[in-house]
Amino acid sequence: DAKTTQPTSMDCAEGRAANLPCNHSTISGNEYVYWYRQIHSQGPQYIIHGLKNNETNEMASLIITEDRKSSTLILPHATLRDTAVYYCIVANNNDMRFGAGTRLTVKP
Amino acid sequence: DSGVTQTPKHLITATGQRVTLRCSPRSGDLSVYWYQQSLDQGLQFLIQYYNGEERAKGNILERFSAQQFPDLHSELNLSSLELGDSALYFCASSVGTSGRNEQFFGPGTRLTVL
């Protein structure tokens, strides 16, 4: 599975959009981009995934560049409850390799 | 609530002992995955089962084993426990096995080895 690179930490003001970047320059054509988050020591929570096209659901939007070498997860209106570690993963099967992720802190 | 249940929630045991962690997947999910999360290692994939058969193996030690039963629940057996096995153990489930299926995680079992 391809390796991903994410910033270690980011801050965001409450009510503003949080944009979390992820680089996956060695991604293969059949690998999906997944985003999960983990709040404190709870089980990771699925957010969104995509292959080539941008995706949106009730939680977030996923923007994937045309060359698929990077992506951005957008939380449109961050709340304090969005404070968590966000993991970007690329995989073509269910053998998911979680990296260190980005620790997002939403501040009042 | 993801629909995945794990028992027990907490487990405290001694070195050299053996424990069994249990996971019930979401209704309709055929795949079960096990992960280990320790402070210094992050979230590590251990093993996957699909409809009773082993499908993928990650960083699982030989002292650890798992199985998935006909009712699709799964058990992770950890034996000859060492201090370093202290960690959160998560189970996840998904509908199928392909990369299109998101995984839903349970609340985890916190294992402490003294």
Side-chain angles (χ1 to χ4, degrees):
Chain A
D1 290 340
K3 192 174 174 182
T4 61
T5 305
Q6 298 178 252
T8 304
S9 64
M10 291 180 64
D11 289 343
C12 176
E14 189 179 18
R16 303 296 295 269
N19 297 284
L20 292 91
C22 179
N23 286 323
H24 31 79
S25 58
T26 58
I27 190 171
S28 301
N30 59 352
E31 288 183 316
Y32 287 77
V33 179
Y34 282 86
W35 283 85
Y36 285 78
R37 72 181 181 184
Q38 188 173 24
I39 297 172
H40 195 45
S41 294
Q42 297 176 23
Q45 178 189 23
Y46 166 80
I47 301 173
I48 199 167
H49 76 285
L51 185 62
K52 295 180 192 176
N53 301 320
N54 299 337
E55 302 287 344
T56 296
N57 62 21
E58 65 279 1
M59 285 183 71
S61 295
L62 174 60
I63 308 298
I64 303 175
T65 58
E66 198 167 334
D67 63 6
R68 302 209 324 126
K69 293 186 177 181
S70 65
S71 61
T72 301
L73 177 75
I74 301 172
L75 307 178
H77 305 288
T79 71
L80 298 179
R81 286 178 294 180
D82 292 322
T83 292
V85 177
Y86 287 77
Y87 298 100
C88 168
I89 303 155
V90 291
N92 62 0
N93 53 35
N94 283 299
D95 180 2
M96 294 205 175
R97 307 295 168 126
F98 286 74
T102 295
R103 181 171 297 278
L104 175 70
T105 303
V106 180
K107 299 186 172 180
Chain B
D1 184 1
S2 67
V4 178
T5 59
Q6 290 187 246
T7 56
K9 205 168 182 178
H10 300 278
L11 198 48
I12 301 174
T13 189
T15 54
Q17 295 298 305
R18 172 189 168 95
V19 296
T20 297
L21 313 183
R22 182 188 168 102
C23 168
S24 292
R26 290 188 325 155
S27 176
D29 284 357
L30 298 178
S31 273
V32 170
Y33 315 79
W34 287 97
Y35 293 84
Q36 178 193 55
Q37 186 171 37
S38 52
L39 279 173
D40 57 347
Q41 290 289 323
L43 200 61
Q44 302 278 320
F45 167 71
L46 295 178
I47 197 164
Q48 177 202 358
Y49 278 82
Y50 175 75
N51 205 19
E53 294 193 3
E54 183 183 305
R55 185 56 68 102
K57 228 170 183 177
N59 302 320
I60 188 166
L61 300 172
E62 284 194 17
R63 300 184 285 108
F64 296 180
S65 65
Q67 54 183 328
Q68 186 179 27
F69 295 87
D71 67 352
L72 301 177
H73 91 272
S74 177
E75 292 180 357
L76 179 68
N77 300 296
L78 315 176
S79 61
S80 302
L81 285 167
E82 302 174 359
L83 296 177
D85 297 327
S86 294
L88 269 169
Y89 290 84
F90 290 106
C91 165
S93 72
S94 70
V95 170
T97 62
S98 77
R100 291 189 295 272
N101 301 133
E102 60 268 32
Q103 296 182 24
F104 295 88
F105 283 76
T109 292
R110 182 175 293 278
L111 173 67
T112 303
V113 182
L114 301 176

